[in-house]
Amino acid sequence: MFSFFKKKPAPTPAQPAAAAPATPAVPDVPSAPPAAIAPAQQAAAAPAPWPEPASTTAPPAAPMAPPAASGGLGWLRNPFAAKPPVPAPQASPLGAPPPATVPVSAPEPTPAPPVVVVAAKPIAVTAPPLPAAPSPSPSPAAEPPTPAERTGWLNRLKAGLRKTGSSIATVFTGTQIDDALYEELEEALLLADTGVKATQWLLTDLKRRVKETKTTDPAAVKGLLADALADLLRPLEKALVIGEHTPTVIMVAGVNGAGKTTSIGKLTRHLANEGASVLLAAADTFRAAAREQLGVWADRNTVEIVSQEGGDPAAVSFDAVTAGKARGKDVVLVDTAGRLPTQLHLMEELKKIRRVVTKADATAPHEVLLVIDGNTGQNALAQVRSFDDALQLTGLIVTKLDGTAKGGVLAAIAQERPIPVYFIGVGEKLEDLETFNAREFAQALLT
Ligand SMILES: Nc1nc2c(ncn2[C@@H]2O[C@H](COP(=O)(O)OP(=O)(O)OP(=O)(O)O)[C@@H](O)[C@H]2O)c(=O)[nH]1
């Protein structure tokens, strides 16, 4: 897993710390007392100064790992670009009561270096694709074999999506390609929560493919549908980039119980396994259980966590990003409390968290992810729209695709709000979170 993930690149020259002129009365300034930052085991301990001096000197760059040919999160990517200059360590506001003028300034936009991937060797980052399904359509190119690890995942994906796929697959058991087949298929796609637009798009595309290839066997139409679905889903494939910023700040949102904390835990584990330093921000400050749950993941992964009971989620996020910067963490993951898009005040709170994170680091958040429960079908699309409008999402994690009959919702998302799907979850276990690959998904769905 994550075999491509690199350690920190070579040290970069420090630049003068972004001047933080104390600007009183900035509305978003976190006003809560500083959050506790502690190694996971001490998460409950009283706020303490940094246990170790902040260091911005990165260790020497690790040797290049081989490109992502293995399974695992094979196309999460660290471009290993020269990191932007790391700001000189600043006195962290953590562990000491904030001064009257809070150390958050109205963002004096720090001229961020242009995001140019200047890695010595850019890395191939696409997940190893599956061999193309047998279909009468011309195969674009010979595809490499699927590694064993990825095959294991695919089997789990197929098992998870069987409920969705079986009703679609039965459409192709007849002997003729006629209107009845297309009508049945339309119904099956709609039942799988593919949505009206995506269903129409797929049917039109499929009919074209059938005509062009002069297909007469209904069983072969299934292969053509897999091709059409893969093409529709392809815009959702994108690599999550780690390493362009220190830290890469990832904010995670979603409705209650969507699987945010579990997904963060899984992702943390993968990152930690690859040697990335991760800091978790428990920005769900209201629900004790949520903090504890994140604390357990932090413990398991021996990463640090910033948490604060009953505090301001924006303040916790600010502290975490500041801490992540000061300590040269690779990734800061901000776990927010679940909320419905209709809870407008809570949506405002999310926007505030986003703004405050930007005050801690003018380039952050680098990713704003929405976690959606694949079981919620078309409602997931509504969530994507609402959270995207509020937060300008950069990516999705779709969980609980195991055992759902609504796996078609990804097609609806691709059609109506094509936000990249960085990961999909098909179970509660660590290995059940994987990168999204359009062809794999299409084939698993129709197997
Ligand atoms: N079957 C299945 N269960 C999952 C998956 N991802 C998460 N879960 C389960 O979903 C439940 C809720 O997950 P959480 O991670 O607590 O969800 P959350 O979004 O953080 O919840 P709140 O903090 O309450 O908003 C837990 O029981 C998880 O084990 C998945 O991919 N498949």
Side-chain angles (χ1 to χ4, degrees), residues 3 8 26 52 62 68 101 128-129 132 136 156 162 176 212 230 240 252 275 286 295 306 318 322 364 370 376 386 445:
S3 57
K8 294 174 197 170
V26 175
E52 61 188 51
T101 50
R156 289 199 301 283
R162 194 157 292 146
Q176 290 195 58
E212 278 175 12
L240 173 65
V252 182
F286 300 107
V306 178
F318 177 87
T322 308
L370 178 70
T376 50
S386 304
L445 193 66

Side-chain angles (χ1 to χ4, degrees), residues 42-63:
Q42 298 158 18
W50 294 116
E52 61 188 51
S55 166
T56 53
T57 310

Side-chain angles (χ1 to χ4, degrees), residues 254-263 266 284 287 290 293 297 335-339 371 375 398-402 424-429 432-433:
V255 304
N256 309 70
K260 293 179 293 300
T261 310
T262 309
S263 300
K266 290 172 180 173
D284 182 351
R287 209 165 62 83
Q293 193 187 347
W297 279 108
D335 186 17
T336 62
R339 68 204 72 213
V371 178
N375 269 306
V398 186
T399 63
K400 307 188 196 182
L401 284 168
D402 45 316
I424 53 177
V426 292
E428 298 181 66
K429 292 199 293 296
D432 294 331
L433 184 78

Side-chain angles (χ1 to χ4, degrees), residues 4 93 145 225 234 248 361 392 397 405:
F4 53 89
L225 178 62
R234 196 149 293 121
T248 298
D361 177 344
Q392 297 80 54
I397 298 178

Side-chain angles (χ1 to χ4, degrees), residues 32-440:
I37 302 183
Q41 305 88 306
Q42 298 158 18
W50 294 116
E52 61 188 51
S55 166
T56 53
T57 310
M64 292 294 274
S70 70
L73 303 187
W75 46 283
L76 180 143
R77 179 169 69 132
N78 178 349
F80 315 115
K83 287 187 181 179
V86 179
Q90 297 179 27
S92 163
L94 301 163
T101 50
V102 186
V104 180
S105 62
E108 184 64 41
T110 314
V115 181
V116 182
V117 178
V118 290
K121 283 191 207 168
I123 290 171
V125 292
T126 46
L130 278 179
S135 92
S137 62
S139 173
E143 297 180 46
T146 308
E149 215 176 312
R150 195 81 193 171
T151 309
W153 153 254
L154 281 173
N155 291 335
R156 289 199 301 283
L157 181 63
K158 281 180 194 164
L161 290 172
R162 194 157 292 146
K163 222 167 161 183
T164 308
S166 56
S167 59
I168 301 176
T170 52
V171 171
F172 304 104
T173 51
T175 53
Q176 290 195 58
I177 303 171
D178 51 15
D179 285 349
L181 180 145
Y182 288 120
E183 272 167 34
E184 258 185 74
L185 180 59
E186 181 176 19
E187 199 178 319
L189 288 170
L190 288 172
L191 282 172
D193 265 306
T194 307
V196 176
K197 278 191 193 166
T199 299
Q200 291 314 322
W201 189 93
L202 282 170
L203 285 172
T204 307
D205 194 48
L206 181 62
K207 285 176 187 171
R208 179 186 60 78
R209 285 172 196 262
V210 169
K211 203 171 158 195
E212 278 175 12
T213 56
K214 301 187 172 57
T215 301
T216 51
D217 176 12
V221 179
K222 195 166 87 167
L224 292 178
L225 178 62
D227 291 345
L229 189 55
D231 283 354
L232 176 61
L233 295 175
R234 196 149 293 121
L236 303 185
E237 268 184 20
K238 193 181 168 214
L240 173 65
V241 175
I242 303 288
E244 278 184 339
H245 303 272
T246 305
T248 298
V249 178
I250 304 175
M251 178 177 166
V252 182
V255 304
N256 309 70
K260 293 179 293 300
T261 310
T262 309
S263 300
I264 286 174
K266 290 172 180 173
L267 193 52
T268 302
R269 177 66 170 273
H270 287 297
L271 289 165
N273 280 352
E274 290 303 319
S277 55
V278 182
L279 182 68
L280 300 178
D284 182 351
T285 55
F286 300 107
R287 209 165 62 83
R291 282 194 310 282
E292 279 161 24
Q293 193 187 347
L294 198 66
V296 169
W297 279 108
D299 251 345
R300 279 190 205 159
N301 299 311
T302 56
V303 300
E304 288 170 295
I305 181 167
V306 178
S307 70
Q308 185 191 60
E309 192 182 336
D312 177 1
V316 170
S317 308
F318 177 87
D319 285 348
V321 174
T322 308
K325 274 174 74 178
R327 307 191 73 178
K329 296 286 180 190
D330 293 312
V331 181
V332 173
L333 278 162
V334 180
D335 186 17
T336 62
R339 68 204 72 213
L340 293 170
T342 48
Q343 295 172 301
L344 297 183
H345 62 296
L346 293 180
M347 294 304 281
E348 284 304 316
E349 181 190 80
L350 267 187
K351 291 185 198 171
K352 181 180 169 187
I353 293 174
R354 195 190 201 288
R355 288 195 301 271
V356 167
V357 161
T358 306
K359 288 184 178 182
D361 177 344
T363 66
H366 307 106
E367 299 287 350
V368 183
L369 307 186
L370 178 70
V371 178
I372 48 178
D373 177 343
N375 269 306
T376 50
Q378 284 292 296
N379 193 267
L381 181 59
Q383 288 169 25
V384 171
R385 283 201 196 100
S386 304
F387 278 89
D388 187 34
D389 290 345
L391 293 175
Q392 297 80 54
L393 300 173
T394 61
L396 305 176
I397 298 178
V398 186
T399 63
K400 307 188 196 182
L401 284 168
D402 45 316
T404 181
K406 300 178 175 182
V409 70
L410 264 74
I413 290 170
Q415 181 70 38
E416 299 196 35
R417 208 46 92 105
I419 295 171
V421 175
Y422 285 136
F423 304 105
I424 53 177
V426 292
E428 298 181 66
K429 292 199 293 296
L430 180 68
E431 61 271 25
D432 294 331
L433 184 78
E434 261 294 352
T435 47
F436 173 73
N437 175 290
R439 175 154 285 280
E440 280 179 4

